[in-house]
Amino acid sequence: MEEDDIRTGQRGLARRGLFVEATGVACWAAVRAAPARPGLTVVPLCGAVAKTGLTP
């Protein structure tokens, strides 16, 4: 996964009203990059770094 994937994921979540710091967005970006699977997927949107704004 590249930094651009994380930035794109962060902005996509922000459009949905979810303001998530970069390490939390990495989970979302990884799931989005994986092949589609049937059923429900639960994605934790949390990370271990202090909360920050959108990545530059």
Side-chain angles (χ1 to χ4, degrees), residues 16-49:
R16 293 179 166 101
L18 299 169
F19 299 96
V20 183
E21 50 91 20
T23 57
V25 176
C27 297
W28 175 253
V31 168
R32 300 276 298 169
R37 295 176 53 167
L40 180 67
T41 302
V42 177
V43 181
L45 297 178
C46 60
V49 178

